[in-house]
């Protein structure tokens, strides 16, 4: 079997045989930068090694399945010799491909679709439904969607702190925001932000405001001061939010001054 044929088979078709999924365990590269030896195994081969110190009990697909195939490139031409090292499995074949990491992978188009829908605040379960409508053969699970979102969010941070990510998001999405920094450390202490659409609705219903702060409900461990309006039908809507460094009179006065600066001729509540 030539390397071209082997690569084409591995790229265009799922590496499954009678319910077993075969993956590359290890490859060796020759001096000219091409693979010269390949070792294949069942995707349930090996044992799970946790990289975290958490005591949380987790499950794993790996059960040290002994199945092994070895591929060696011949010295002449592009031919390969494949040898069965161990042709048995220690588990029954899978009845479907869901839950297996290799067939669960998203294609480039599916990854872009997942990221696009995530930026539009579409729920993961609805994203998964869209993926399966686009491709009926898709066997991804909700965990696949969460993993893709996490990978994108990690890349987006690119070494930034949580607050830097928030500030970049507010600027990119066109929010009206204002911050107050510590005079000594230059670190943000209070952050006011409001969406232009929320302010437009406030201008239509300016007569009543409800204000309250929530505690220990965000990763920043800061009080979140919420400012809410009320429509003519007694429905509430969000106007603005403020992360407060502390609940002193100065912090609340600063927040209300920021809110007042966005009124732009609106009737006082």
């Amino acid at each position: 079997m030539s390397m071209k044929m082997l690569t084409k088979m591995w790229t265009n078709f799922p590496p499954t045989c009678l319910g077993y999924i075969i993956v590359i365990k290890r490859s060796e590269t020759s001096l000219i930068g091409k693979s010269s030896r390949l070792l294949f195994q069942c995707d349930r081969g090996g044992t799970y090694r946790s990289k975290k110190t958490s005591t949380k009990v987790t499950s794993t697909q790996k059960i040290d399945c002994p199945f092994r195939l070895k591929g060696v490139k011949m010295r002449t031409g592009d031919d390969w010799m494949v040898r069965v090292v161990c042709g048995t499995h220690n588990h029954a074949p899978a009845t479907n491909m869901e839950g297996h990491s290799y067939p669960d992978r998203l294609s480039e188009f599916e990854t872009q679709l997942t990221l696009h829908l995530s930026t539009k605040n579409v729920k993961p379960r609805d994203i998964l439904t869209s993926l399966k409508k686009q491709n009926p053969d898709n066997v991804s699970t909700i965990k696949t969607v969460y993993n893709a979102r996490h990978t994108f969010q990690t890349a987006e941070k690119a070494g930034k702190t949580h607050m830097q990510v928030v500030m970049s998001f507010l600027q990119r999405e066109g929010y009206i925001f204002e911050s107050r920094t510590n005079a000594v450390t230059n670190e943000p202490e209070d952050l006011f932000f409001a969406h232009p659409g929320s302010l437009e609705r406030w201008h239509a219903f300016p007569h009543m405001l409800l204000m309250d702060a929530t505690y220990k409900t965000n990763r920043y461990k800061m009080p979140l001061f919420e400012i809410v309006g009320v429509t003519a039908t007694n429905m509430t809507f969000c106007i603005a939010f403020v992360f407060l460094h502390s609940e002193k009179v100065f912090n609340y006065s600063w927040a209300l001054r920021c809110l007042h600066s966005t009124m732009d001729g609106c009737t006082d509540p």
Side-chain angles (χ1 to χ4, degrees):
M1 179 183 294
S2 69
M3 185 58 181
K4 185 176 181 181
M5 292 174 60
L6 183 64
T7 304
K8 183 177 180 180
M9 180 188 69
W10 221 259
T11 303
N12 296 340
F13 301 97
T16 61
C17 180
L18 301 178
Y20 298 105
I21 301 174
I22 311 304
V23 297
I24 297 177
K25 173 180 173 62
R26 185 172 61 250
S27 64
E28 296 180 8
T29 306
S30 63
L31 296 177
I32 58 176
K34 294 184 178 181
S35 297
S36 59
R37 293 176 182 271
L38 294 172
L39 180 62
F40 301 98
Q41 70 171 11
C42 175
D43 73 328
R44 305 198 67 178
T47 56
Y48 175 72
R49 295 185 178 88
S50 176
K51 297 180 181 180
K52 300 180 180 180
T53 57
S54 173
T55 57
K56 181 179 178 180
V57 178
T58 59
S59 60
T60 176
Q61 291 281 345
K62 294 185 177 297
I63 55 174
D64 203 18
C65 179
F67 182 87
R68 295 289 188 276
L69 288 178
K70 182 176 290 186
V72 180
K73 188 179 184 305
M74 306 298 289
R75 293 185 178 182
T76 58
D78 197 28
D79 293 332
W80 283 69
M81 181 178 65
V82 179
R83 180 170 62 88
V84 179
V85 179
C86 179
T88 60
H89 298 266
N90 64 355
H91 58 94
T95 57
N96 59 71
M97 294 296 101
E98 290 187 353
H100 292 267
S101 59
Y102 192 95
D104 271 359
R105 296 189 307 174
L106 300 177
S107 65
E108 183 176 351
F109 170 77
E110 291 172 333
T111 301
Q112 294 302 321
L113 178 61
T114 299
L115 300 183
H116 173 73
L117 295 178
S118 296
T119 58
K120 301 301 180 182
N121 297 321
V122 179
K123 295 180 180 179
R125 65 172 179 267
D126 296 327
I127 295 177
L128 183 61
T129 300
S130 299
L131 293 175
K132 292 186 179 295
K133 285 183 178 179
Q134 290 279 346
N135 179 15
D137 296 328
N138 183 288
V139 294
S140 299
T141 62
I142 192 69
K143 184 178 180 181
T144 310
V145 177
Y146 277 112
N147 288 343
R149 283 159 44 105
H150 177 71
T151 301
F152 171 72
Q153 292 167 358
T154 302
E156 190 179 36
K157 289 180 181 179
K160 298 179 182 178
T161 64
H162 289 312
M163 190 56 66
Q164 288 174 330
V165 173
V166 171
M167 299 293 281
S168 299
F169 171 81
L170 296 177
Q171 187 170 11
R172 183 177 67 250
E173 298 298 325
Y175 277 73
I176 296 172
F177 65 96
E178 190 171 343
S179 62
R180 188 181 66 83
T181 59
N182 185 292
V184 178
T185 63
N186 200 34
E187 295 179 350
E189 291 191 340
D190 297 311
L191 175 63
F192 170 93
F193 56 96
H195 193 276
S198 298
L199 297 179
E200 289 179 5
R201 184 168 298 181
W202 181 35
H203 289 171
F205 304 100
H207 304 293
M208 182 180 296
L209 293 180
L210 304 176
M211 305 182 190
D212 198 6
T214 60
Y215 310 92
K216 299 180 180 179
T217 58
N218 57 78
R219 68 179 64 184
Y220 312 106
K221 306 301 181 183
M222 300 171 66
L224 179 63
F225 183 44
E226 298 182 71
I227 304 171
V228 179
V230 182
T231 68
T233 56
N234 293 328
M235 299 292 290
T236 58
F237 62 94
C238 298
I239 296 177
F241 300 91
V242 190
F243 281 116
L244 299 175
H245 176 67
S246 60
E247 289 197 289
K248 304 293 185 181
V249 173
F250 173 78
N251 302 96
Y252 278 110
S253 299
W254 177 85
L256 293 178
R257 284 197 299 270
C258 292
L259 178 66
H260 190 269
S261 67
T262 65
M263 293 180 64
D264 192 22
C266 178
T267 303
D268 288 343

